[in-house]
Amino acid sequence: MRVVYVNGKYLKEDEAKISIFDRSILFSDSVYEVTSVVNKKLIDFDNHMKRLDRSMKELHFSKKINHTTILDFHRKLVEENNLQEGIVYLQISRGVVDRDFTITNNNIEPTIFAFTQEKKILESENAKKGIKVMTTDDLRWKRCDIKTTQLLYPSLAKTDSFKKGFDDAWMIRNGFVMEGTSNNAWIIKNKIILTRQSDNLILGGITREAVTNCAKALKYEVSTKPFTLVDAQSADEAFITSATAFVTPVIKINSSTVGDGKPGVFTKALREEYIKQALNNAI
Ligand code: PMP
């Protein structure tokens, strides 16, 4: 049984509880981060903390949480649960208050909890074989840059993709590819690597940022601009990035095979470079 963290306490997972009045339950009024763990070390932790601060600031959460405290309980959870490879999930909600649409009390104590989950990251099947994605309308709100726990639509979209024999869904607005249900979308055409600019319509991925730097280190050309579904279906290579997928090839988009239907050479090189840098900088 896992040990989890709730508001300063380490508890057995079946003893961990939060209030039914927590605003994360009633309004999804909470933000989260997922940090991957490889060889018991945290990947890109500092950047996850920067994004966490930003998400909390955008939602006007009153209290800032100290990064050293967060690092301490992440490390303790990894240790207590002997987590070699997987993730630490962290969620911070505005807190517990009587149900009301208007937020009148700005002094609520945030609810903070975290837990570990084992997951194969370095040697994942998806990374070896590549994944198939279908497309779906992007029906999310227009503040996708805030990492809130309002995840019902992406969860339904991913489930629908599984039912239809795909591994994930890419969300489309006005013919343009926004992102995957929990990852950023990329294509490569004529040796140019394309990913959409980050604005209010997608989440600025931590891995996206790191992979952009990897591409520069490999002297590849990266262009951050929108691309359409038609562009994606005629691309030479395609891939996704996220904290747990790292760089994972996309080999099919709807009924179109991407390139020769196998993980592409640029994608493989980017994955290798990302793994090298991520493990070097893990803490
Ligand atoms: N977009 C969305 C919608 C996501 O949920 C995620 C995963 N958190 C990402 C992109 C990738 O972000 P990161 O690289 O920070 O995991």
Side-chain angles (χ1 to χ4, degrees), residues 183-199:
N183 46 68
N184 290 115
W186 304 63
I187 59 169
I188 308 178
K189 193 161 175 109
N190 300 328
K191 301 192 175 164
I192 299 173
I193 304 175
L194 273 169
T195 192
R196 192 186 179 284
Q197 75 279 9
S198 64
D199 54 19

Side-chain angles (χ1 to χ4, degrees), residues 32 51 140 147 179 181-184 203 205-207 242-243:
Y32 75 108
R51 185 172 63 191
R140 299 172 302 166
K147 199 166 167 64
E179 57 185 339
T181 57
S182 60
N183 46 68
N184 290 115
L203 184 76
I206 302 304
T207 321
S242 80

Side-chain angles (χ1 to χ4, degrees), residues 32-34 44 48 51 140 144 147-148 151 154 171 179-185 202-209 241-246 274:
Y32 75 108
E33 282 297 330
V34 173
D44 263 333
H48 284 286
R51 185 172 63 191
R140 299 172 302 166
C144 300
K147 199 166 167 64
T148 76
L151 296 170
M171 291 179 279
E179 57 185 339
T181 57
S182 60
N183 46 68
N184 290 115
I202 66 164
L203 184 76
I206 302 304
T207 321
R208 173 184 179 278
E209 201 60 42
T241 56
S242 80
T244 52
F246 283 8
Y274 175 72

Side-chain angles (χ1 to χ4, degrees), residues 87-103:
I87 62 149
V88 180
Y89 175 91
L90 163 67
Q91 181 166 326
I92 302 184
S93 98
R94 194 181 304 273
V96 178
V97 65
D98 258 0
R99 185 176 182 276
D100 191 343
F101 277 75
T102 317
I103 301 160

